[in-house]
Amino acid sequence: MYLNITNWKKNKNATVLLTVFFLISVFEIHSEYIGNKNLILFSKPLIIPILVAYYLTRTKKINRAFLVSLFFSWIANLLFIQNTIDFIIYGVIFFILYRIVIIYTIVSKVKMPSLTPLILGCIPFAFIYTSVTIFTYTTIRESVYLFLSQGIFTIFLGGFSLGNYILNSSKQNALLLVSTLFMTFTQFLFLLKFYFEAINMLQALAMLLFVLGQFLLTKYIFHTEKHKQKIDLIKNLKVSV
């Protein structure tokens, strides 16, 4: 009885936090669209902390590496608010750290695909990154190496997620793949701002993809936890037999 009440409270709290997360996200996306810097400064810093609270409420075993990655993502987003070249460069550095920790988190939980599906999965991401780099080189110039450094980790994560989905089109792998695609497109939208006048619309769209990508990644982490619990249960049953 006590356990049922505890689970009910946890589920209720998680639902409230998730609702607040999406409400704040919608508010932030609208703030980006209308270009109101004060509203952005109020809403954007809240998104990741609320997602962290939601994760801590739902998870049965805290993944510290995942929390570290969310911290790096939070710092990167705070730096991107300023929208000056120095802050953007620092933001990209923290986003690279975010990518590194996320890759570590995922690879430590999921079996690596064999070389062939990994390479096949990397090809479309590498092609897109190369094309965008060539297209935007005249604009980013000095920052091209930083952009390419970030691209290496994004291409690997894209190849990993697509390769796993090719081998096993499960809900878990689909969540990782869609999350990776959303987070990759946010980087391209960032570069498109240099070429199009509808900057606010592109920024709002990038924020929408970021929020959805981060949420789907969190759902993916929950699924890996469930998968591990099933494996541990099967192992324990075999030992007991």
Side-chain angles (χ1 to χ4, degrees):
M1 181 66 179
Y2 174 76
L3 184 61
N4 290 334
I5 293 174
T6 302
N7 289 336
W8 179 82
K9 286 182 178 179
K10 286 185 67 175
N11 292 334
K12 184 180 179 181
N13 291 337
T15 301
V16 170
L17 287 168
L18 187 60
T19 302
V20 174
F21 169 76
F22 281 114
L23 287 175
I24 292 293
S25 297
V26 170
F27 185 81
E28 154 60 14
I29 292 165
H30 177 68
S31 302
E32 297 284 359
Y33 183 73
I34 64 177
N36 191 315
K37 193 69 172 288
N38 291 328
L39 294 180
I40 294 171
L41 286 169
F42 165 75
S43 57
K44 199 168 191 176
L46 296 175
I47 292 175
I48 294 298
I50 294 171
L51 185 63
V52 169
Y54 168 71
Y55 168 74
L56 292 175
T57 304
R58 280 284 312 275
T59 187
K60 293 181 179 179
K61 185 177 181 181
I62 296 174
N63 188 321
R64 290 180 175 80
F66 181 60
L67 291 180
V68 170
S69 73
L70 290 177
F71 172 75
F72 287 142
S73 176
W74 181 62
I75 295 295
N77 273 284
L78 293 182
L79 292 168
F80 287 145
I81 293 175
Q82 302 303 319
N83 207 27
T84 60
I85 188 63
D86 289 337
F87 280 97
I88 288 173
I89 290 173
Y90 290 132
V92 171
I93 291 172
F94 273 96
F95 203 77
I96 290 174
L97 293 174
Y98 160 78
R99 283 290 191 202
I100 293 172
V101 180
I102 279 295
I103 289 172
Y104 166 78
T105 303
I106 293 171
V107 171
S108 64
K109 283 181 167 291
V110 182
K111 184 180 178 181
M112 280 278 291
S114 58
L115 190 60
T116 301
L118 180 64
I119 292 174
L120 289 175
C122 285
I123 290 174
F125 288 89
F127 174 77
I128 294 172
Y129 245 95
T130 303
S131 301
V132 172
T133 303
I134 294 171
F135 181 66
T136 59
Y137 177 74
T138 55
T139 301
I140 58 178
R141 288 188 180 276
E142 303 87 7
S143 305
V144 67
Y145 296 109
L146 194 60
F147 180 71
L148 288 175
S149 299
Q150 182 176 245
I152 291 171
F153 296 107
T154 302
I155 290 167
F156 175 82
L157 184 57
F160 180 91
S161 58
L162 183 54
N164 266 324
Y165 186 74
I166 291 171
L167 292 173
N168 180 18
S169 55
S170 63
K171 182 179 179 180
Q172 176 179 313
N173 290 335
L175 285 170
L176 179 60
L177 177 59
V178 176
S179 171
T180 303
L181 288 171
F182 282 169
M183 299 296 280
T184 301
F185 286 136
T186 59
Q187 299 170 48
F188 301 148
L189 289 171
F190 172 78
L191 291 175
L192 286 176
K193 291 191 297 182
F194 295 109
Y195 296 91
F196 294 91
E197 294 181 359
I199 295 176
N200 290 351
M201 185 180 72
L202 291 174
Q203 189 62 34
L205 180 57
M207 199 62 207
L208 172 63
L209 293 177
F210 171 80
V211 167
L212 292 176
Q214 199 66 73
F215 171 69
L216 291 176
L217 182 61
T218 305
K219 295 287 286 184
Y220 169 79
I221 295 296
F222 289 143
H223 274 273
T224 59
E225 290 176 0
K226 291 179 181 178
H227 182 68
K228 187 176 184 303
Q229 288 170 4
K230 288 180 181 178
I231 293 175
D232 291 341
L233 180 61
I234 292 171
K235 286 181 179 178
N236 290 333
L237 288 173
K238 286 181 177 179
V239 170
S240 62
V241 172

